[in-house]
Amino acid sequence: MDAPSAGNTFEYLIETLDDSSHKKFFNVPKLGGTKYDVLPYSIRVLLEAAVRNCDGFLMTKEQVMNILDWKTKQSNVEVPFFPARVLLQDFTGIPAMVDFAAMREAVKTLGGDPKKVHPACPTDLTVDHSLQIDFNKCAIQNAPNPGGGDLQKAGKLSPLKAQPRKLPCRGQTACRGSCDSGELSRNSGKFSSQIENTPILCPFHLQPVPEPETVLKNQEVEFGRNRERLQFFKWSSRVFKNVAVIPPGTGMAHQVNLEYLSRVVFEEKNLLFPDSVVGTDSHITMVNGLGILGWGVGGIETEAVMLGLPVFLTLPEVVGCELTGSSNPFVTSIDVVLGITKHLRQVGVAGKFVEFFGSGVSQLSIVDRTTIANMCPEYGAILSFFPVDNVTLKHLEHTGFDKAKLKSMETYLKAVKLFRNDQNNSGEPEYSQVIQINLNSIVPSVSGPKRPQDRVAVTDMKNDFQACLNEKVGFKGFQIAAEKQSDTVSLHYEGSEYKLSHGSVVIAAVISCTNNCNPSVMLAAGLLAKKAVEAGLHVKPYIRTSLSPGSGMVTHYLSSSGVLPYLSKLGFEVVGYGCSTCVGNTAPLSEAVLNAVKQGDLVTCGVLSGNKNFEGRLCDCVRANYLASPPLVVAYAIAGTVNIDFQTEPLGTDSTGKNIYLHDIWPSREEVHQIEEELVILSMFKALKEKIEMGNKRWNSLEAPDSVLFPWDLKSTYIRCPSFFDKLTKEPVAPQPIENAHVLLYLGDSVTTDHISPAGSIARSSAAAKYLTNRGLTPREFNSYGARRGNDAVMTRGTFANIKLFNKFIGKPAPKTIHFPSGQTLDVFEAAELYQKEGIPLIILAGKKYGSGNSRDWAAKGPYLLVSILKFCFLKLQSILNIPFVSNILSKFFSTHLDFFMLIWISYLWGF
């Protein structure tokens, strides 16, 4: 809801901005006086949205006053919130748009006008989760993994690129000639003098090279594999008002949101109001670092906002996080992020707002702030808010914001007291709780091996990994017998022999989430790579390395600084722009590596600069996964193992046999900041905007229908009209009681949305694979669950299909359960289907933190369709409690997980 309705209760608060007679705003501070002055900044944004949208129906005066009385009403009342806009990414966005297309069908069936079905709230959809790493490294050694059935229809790969060939220069595929040590040494001290829109220069031969072949090949396969989905997105952007699609190859949802979509202050019909956003990507919180209120919500909640309804939330507690001191020069932003994450987890901020203040805030750049805010889902808070201040305005000026708009923005924010000032004489807001974090206390660290909250200081990494080998299988342990912890297995790869052991790194990925928005950590990785190459260090070829920047802007400053070819030389070549390794979109490891890992039952490792390292997410055979800053990802890739003490053990040796330690090649903060200041400039942001607005040749030439109703292809395995509305009537059907139910699954604690509805690859033996095989697809064409979220038949079969699901009926991790009438052990879907044929209602038992994580849309819809009786669990709880032996468990379960099952309740009300 943008402009106030005609019947706005608080219309008398509208005033004219001092510096412009035609710009108006709601002067909310006049409503509350001293009450307003002590409100946290984030609550002030909630209050402004409530005042602006107070129509007496969807938003009442009483609800507005509840927000104003936050100090006494926090945690006790529920309030609506109208965000200014919605952001979708394609994995979770396609179900929303498919639902809108299905709504048009339903409206027509019930005699209405389907043309009236449009999102009421401005909606941006970024196609960023469809990228898979089929090609990596400059030699393009890997065979493509088509994934979808449409690649064959698209024909062979485009002739835009030369055929794969063995090249002497590992950095850029178009670089010809031999790279000898003398030539390398002559150019090692120079940066290429790149400017915007000029070709990348190879530092070894100083000749122009085209866009990396890897990017083009991956994009070609991406368009072929996902053609049906992309055509549907393009149709959506044509027929639905208020829908804009950011095409693939542009960047990640949260980063495009930060760099291009964010306004900070909206201006709609001459009315100024704070920018705010909700969406289906958990990292919407990234924009909190710009002073924009935003967080991730479920797909069902997002659709409600798109239809003009508010998001409802319990008026939250706000934890004030006071930052003091300054960080150590050797600490990166991700170290600050992980340090704050661990501290906030220990304090306990789940379900709360976090707001930062104190002298330490002004020492953090915007990229530092957005990196911290982006990690918000990992410490459980709803959002982490940095109010707008002088640092924010300076950043916006550097990125090309119009100066007149900046002036109006500053005047407006100060008028409504949403501008933070270190010299604020009236003092800081009052918070529910205040915690202090001294930035001086933070040390370099990684997180893992199975959960992002398990932080390990780099200096303790070797001892901690050894402890993990010894511990029993659990959140950290692997329980490897002492006599087998020193085992090694020979690996023959590309004509050479290597040794794999426990701790060997087999995946090293610098990817989109959390870090790539921050020039300092990316440049640090590039400078470290440069120094490593100059010292004669290298990465073993069997390690699957990749570089997936957050947007083209990242590639700009990496290439213009001259460090991108050095990253490529170590195998970190740009593979494309999109979520890849972080969401499980990693091509299989080589058969030689897989066989060696299985032969030795080795605990091999993945190291990535993302923020999710759930067990089994990267690859089935990679049991230990660590989150690290980009320079540490490169360092561990060079070392080839996490079982190393960087302080005492060398990374390798130079040509003279001299040991090279990490401190020898680690770039100083001064080096990084100097390049950052020179490169993060206006032209980079302008180039990104031009790229988004112009699109790309493949997207622009993609054909798509423009009919009022989407022409569903009954043969499609990607896009299918969902069954949610099949039985939709004008009067809801009364629910029936649950009697004589059986238990489908008996689960423990911490069952995440990844366990419930996985987003990664489709296992060949799964129920979803059988469905696709029966429709003529080969395993190479399966693609991923995330890519097929527009097909409810696939997603229902994928529910509880995670290989790490621990069903206590089975006693081991497997996506299986027992069909008790027959005693058979079956896939979860097959058992549920058999129960339904027998007319037996079903329930699921689970423990604490069921449904934690993101992607909650199909984590709610999947169980609903899988266990159709689930929609009555919320309504007929007493009937369930009469079932023998489960009453106590269920009573506790439903009382502690009411919020998650509200999604199922909402889906029932909507007729899903």
Side-chain angles (χ1 to χ4, degrees):
M1 305 291 286
D2 297 327
S5 62
N8 191 291
T9 307
F10 298 99
E11 193 170 358
Y12 67 90
L13 292 176
I14 297 179
E15 295 185 4
T16 300
L17 197 65
D18 291 342
D19 68 339
S20 174
S21 59
H22 67 279
K23 295 182 179 180
K24 300 182 181 299
F25 69 101
F26 279 88
N27 195 344
V28 183
K30 286 188 175 181
L31 177 66
T34 56
K35 276 188 178 181
Y36 184 90
D37 292 340
V38 298
L39 289 177
Y41 289 95
S42 52
I43 300 299
R44 297 179 195 183
V45 178
L46 285 181
L47 180 60
E48 191 282 337
V51 167
R52 178 167 35 91
N53 291 285
C54 186
D55 59 0
F57 178 62
L58 292 176
M59 177 71 73
T60 66
K61 183 176 181 180
E62 180 184 3
Q63 291 168 326
V64 172
M65 301 312 294
N66 282 339
I67 299 175
L68 181 61
D69 293 332
W70 168 83
K71 191 173 180 180
T72 58
K73 296 293 181 67
Q74 58 182 292
S75 302
N76 294 321
V77 297
E78 189 177 64
V79 295
F81 172 57
F82 286 93
R85 55 191 174 91
V86 166
L87 179 66
L88 304 173
Q89 43 91 343
D90 53 313
F91 265 22
T92 50
I94 194 167
M97 298 314 303
V98 166
D99 287 351
F100 265 85
M103 287 178 200
R104 285 197 161 197
E105 297 279 355
V107 168
K108 181 182 178 182
T109 301
L110 293 175
D113 182 2
K115 291 182 180 179
K116 293 182 179 180
V117 178
H118 297 282
C121 184
T123 301
D124 297 295
L125 190 153
T126 62
V127 185
D128 70 329
H129 275 52
S130 60
L131 174 68
Q132 293 190 27
I133 303 175
D134 297 287
F135 300 96
N136 72 323
K137 303 182 181 178
C138 76
I140 316 294
Q141 303 166 16
N142 311 294
N145 173 23
D150 297 315
L151 184 59
Q152 287 74 13
K153 301 176 187 177
K156 297 181 180 179
L157 291 177
S158 168
L160 290 172
K161 306 165 288 297
Q163 294 299 313
R165 59 191 183 277
K166 189 74 173 179
L167 296 172
C169 175
R170 192 179 181 187
Q172 293 291 344
T173 54
C175 178
R176 299 177 176 83
S178 73
C179 295
D180 56 41
S181 58
E183 201 162 3
L184 173 63
S185 122
R186 286 193 296 273
N187 295 287
S188 61
K190 301 178 181 179
F191 288 120
S192 58
S193 56
Q194 292 280 138
I195 59 174
E196 191 62 27
N197 297 323
T198 61
I200 299 172
L201 298 180
C202 174
F204 309 108
H205 302 103
L206 297 180
Q207 56 180 297
V209 298
E211 186 171 2
E213 186 175 356
T214 304
V215 175
L216 297 174
K217 281 185 171 289
N218 279 316
Q219 287 180 355
E220 181 105 14
V221 176
E222 178 183 2
F223 267 80
R225 173 188 288 128
N226 296 286
R227 185 171 61 89
E228 287 183 46
R229 299 169 63 243
L230 297 178
Q231 287 176 323
F232 175 77
F233 286 140
K234 200 162 188 177
W235 171 83
S236 299
S237 66
R238 287 177 174 177
V239 303
F240 290 120
K241 298 176 183 177
N242 282 334
V243 173
V245 175
I246 309 298
T250 304
M252 267 52 67
H254 47 279
Q255 192 152 336
V256 171
N257 187 27
L258 177 74
E259 297 172 2
Y260 178 73
L261 301 175
S262 295
R263 282 83 153 174
V264 182
V265 171
F266 254 81
E267 182 176 347
E268 185 73 24
K269 297 179 181 178
N270 295 328
L271 181 73
L272 299 177
F273 54 94
D275 188 4
S276 59
V277 59
V278 297
T280 55
D281 189 282
S282 60
H283 303 292
I284 299 291
T285 54
M286 189 177 193
V287 295
N288 297 164
L290 268 182
I292 299 172
L293 201 69
W295 66 91
V297 297
I300 297 170
E301 295 158 294
T302 305
E303 288 182 40
V305 175
M306 293 168 70
L307 289 170
L309 300 174
V311 172
F312 283 88
L313 71 159
T314 301
L315 191 59
E317 296 180 35
V318 181
V319 177
C321 184
E322 183 178 11
L323 300 181
T324 61
S326 57
S327 58
N328 185 289
F330 297 100
V331 168
T332 66
S333 294
I334 191 58
D335 295 318
V336 174
V337 169
L338 294 178
I340 292 175
T341 297
K342 183 174 183 179
H343 197 99
L344 292 175
R345 275 191 176 275
Q346 291 173 341
V347 171
V349 294
K352 303 175 183 178
F353 284 10
V354 174
E355 188 167 296
F356 292 89
F357 71 101
S359 59
V361 173
S362 296
Q363 298 179 39
L364 298 178
S365 67
I366 289 299
V367 287
D368 289 335
R369 298 178 188 188
T370 53
T371 305
I372 293 169
N374 197 20
M375 202 68 172
C376 175
E378 310 310 325
Y379 45 81
I382 297 175
L383 55 85
S384 291
F385 194 69
F386 288 84
V388 176
D389 60 7
N390 288 319
V391 176
T392 313
L393 295 181
K394 185 177 180 180
H395 168 81
L396 294 174
E397 183 180 359
H398 287 166
T399 59
F401 253 67
D402 180 79
K403 290 186 177 181
K405 288 185 177 180
L406 277 177
K407 182 63 177 176
S408 296
M409 179 189 300
E410 182 178 0
T411 303
Y412 165 70
L413 292 172
K414 288 181 176 179
V416 294
K417 300 183 179 180
L418 286 174
F419 192 88
R420 190 189 76 88
N421 192 331
D422 281 335
Q423 286 74 43
N424 187 0
N425 297 325
S426 60
E428 299 289 354
E430 296 181 4
Y431 296 103
S432 309
Q433 177 186 0
V434 173
I435 60 174
Q436 291 184 328
I437 298 178
N438 190 330
L439 298 178
N440 290 322
S441 65
I442 297 175
V443 297
S445 62
V446 298
S447 286
K450 300 181 182 181
R451 303 187 303 176
Q453 64 263 41
D454 297 324
R455 183 165 167 257
V456 184
V458 172
T459 53
D460 297 332
M461 181 63 170
K462 183 170 185 176
N463 291 335
D464 188 82
F465 182 75
Q466 289 292 336
C468 291
L469 294 179
N470 290 320
E471 288 183 20
K472 293 181 179 180
V473 175
F475 291 134
K476 290 200 67 171
F478 299 102
Q479 200 169 353
I480 304 298
E483 63 272 14
K484 294 185 177 182
Q485 292 182 12
S486 300
D487 288 356
T488 60
V489 178
S490 294
L491 168 65
H492 296 276
Y493 191 84
E494 294 186 349
S496 298
E497 182 175 349
Y498 304 91
K499 296 289 185 182
L500 287 186
S501 60
H502 295 294
S504 290
V505 174
V506 294
I507 295 177
V510 177
I511 56 177
S512 58
C513 293
T514 302
N515 308 303
N516 292 8
C517 66
N518 193 323
S520 65
V521 291
M522 289 299 293
L523 288 173
L527 289 171
L528 186 142
K530 178 178 182 294
K531 294 185 177 185
V533 170
E534 292 170 351
L537 301 178
H538 63 277
V539 174
K540 296 177 177 64
Y542 62 80
I543 298 176
R544 185 169 290 282
T545 50
S546 61
L547 170 61
S548 180
S551 73
M553 190 192 81
V554 179
T555 305
H556 278 304
Y557 60 70
L558 289 178
S559 61
S560 60
S561 66
V563 300
L564 187 59
Y566 292 95
L567 284 164
S568 298
K569 191 78 173 177
L570 294 180
F572 292 94
E573 183 169 281
V574 176
V575 297
Y577 304 99
C579 291
S580 49
T581 308
C582 200
V583 292
N585 289 350
T586 300
L589 299 176
S590 70
E591 288 295 325
V593 173
L594 290 174
N595 292 336
V597 172
K598 292 177 181 178
Q599 177 185 338
D601 190 26
L602 299 177
V603 179
T604 53
C605 302
V607 186
L608 63 154
S609 63
N611 53 20
K612 292 182 180 67
N613 60 339
F614 299 124
E615 188 177 8
R617 185 161 187 159
L618 268 63
C619 181
D620 295 353
C621 67
V622 181
R623 294 155 67 182
N625 299 301
Y626 288 92
L627 306 180
S629 64
L632 282 176
V633 172
V634 177
Y636 279 113
I638 295 170
T641 180
V642 300
N643 196 14
I644 182 174
D645 183 347
F646 283 138
Q647 289 183 308
T648 61
E649 299 177 59
L651 294 172
T653 58
D654 63 13
S655 57
T656 65
K658 177 185 175 183
N659 286 336
I660 304 297
Y661 295 86
L662 182 60
H663 61 77
D664 294 324
I665 61 173
W666 190 270
S668 68
R669 180 178 290 272
E670 290 73 23
E671 288 179 90
V672 174
H673 282 179
Q674 180 182 354
I675 298 175
E676 183 179 355
E677 289 296 323
E678 294 174 356
L679 298 175
V680 183
I681 54 176
L682 172 62
S683 61
M684 294 180 180
F685 284 86
K686 287 180 65 176
L688 175 65
K689 292 178 181 179
E690 290 172 1
K691 184 175 184 180
I692 292 175
E693 292 166 0
M694 293 176 61
N696 58 62
K697 291 182 179 179
R698 291 188 180 92
W699 173 259
N700 294 340
S701 63
L702 183 70
E703 296 182 357
D706 54 8
S707 53
V708 174
L709 299 177
F710 184 72
W712 307 100
D713 181 357
L714 298 180
K715 296 181 180 179
S716 173
T717 56
Y718 277 95
I719 308 295
R720 190 175 108 139
C721 188
S723 58
F724 303 135
F725 300 110
D726 287 353
K727 299 179 182 180
L728 183 65
T729 60
K730 293 183 178 180
E731 298 296 330
V733 179
Q736 302 299 313
I738 298 176
E739 297 176 347
N740 301 316
H742 282 224
V743 179
L744 179 63
L745 292 166
Y746 181 20
L747 309 173
D749 296 340
S750 297
V751 176
T752 69
T753 51
D754 269 32
H755 291 108
I756 302 168
S757 185
S761 60
I762 299 173
R764 297 188 179 191
S765 59
S766 66
K770 295 173 186 175
Y771 169 84
L772 295 173
T773 300
N774 289 338
R775 278 149 184 79
L777 273 67
T778 66
R780 286 167 57 85
E781 299 168 327
F782 286 170
N783 211 324
S784 65
Y785 284 111
R788 295 190 181 274
R789 276 179 168 163
N791 187 321
D792 61 303
V794 172
M795 296 306 295
T796 304
R797 288 163 172 79
T799 303
F800 296 112
N802 191 305
I803 61 171
K804 296 300 179 181
L805 181 75
F806 191 89
N807 180 7
K808 294 186 179 181
F809 287 151
I810 302 298
K812 62 180 181 180
K816 303 283 185 180
T817 194
I818 297 175
H819 177 253
F820 284 100
S822 66
Q824 299 179 78
T825 299
L826 303 171
D827 287 333
V828 176
F829 173 81
E830 293 173 346
E833 189 177 42
L834 191 53
Y835 276 123
Q836 289 182 9
K837 289 179 180 178
E838 296 166 346
I840 299 175
L842 297 170
I843 62 172
I844 295 172
L845 304 181
K848 296 184 295 183
K849 297 184 179 180
Y850 175 88
S852 59
N854 49 25
S855 301
R856 290 177 290 154
D857 54 343
W858 270 109
K861 294 177 182 178
Y864 168 81
L865 293 174
L866 186 68
V867 189
S868 59
I869 205 70
L870 256 181
K871 66 181 179 183
F872 302 135
C873 291
F874 181 76
L875 302 174
K876 294 290 183 179
L877 182 58
Q878 187 58 46
S879 299
I880 301 174
L881 298 182
N882 290 330
I883 301 174
F885 87 83
V886 302
S887 59
N888 291 336
I889 298 175
L890 281 172
S891 179
K892 180 179 180 181
F893 177 67
F894 276 88
S895 66
T896 55
H897 298 85
L898 189 61
D899 56 336
F900 183 77
F901 278 92
M902 278 301 295
L903 290 174
I904 298 173
W905 169 236
I906 292 171
S907 68
Y908 169 72
L909 291 179
W910 279 35
F912 285 148

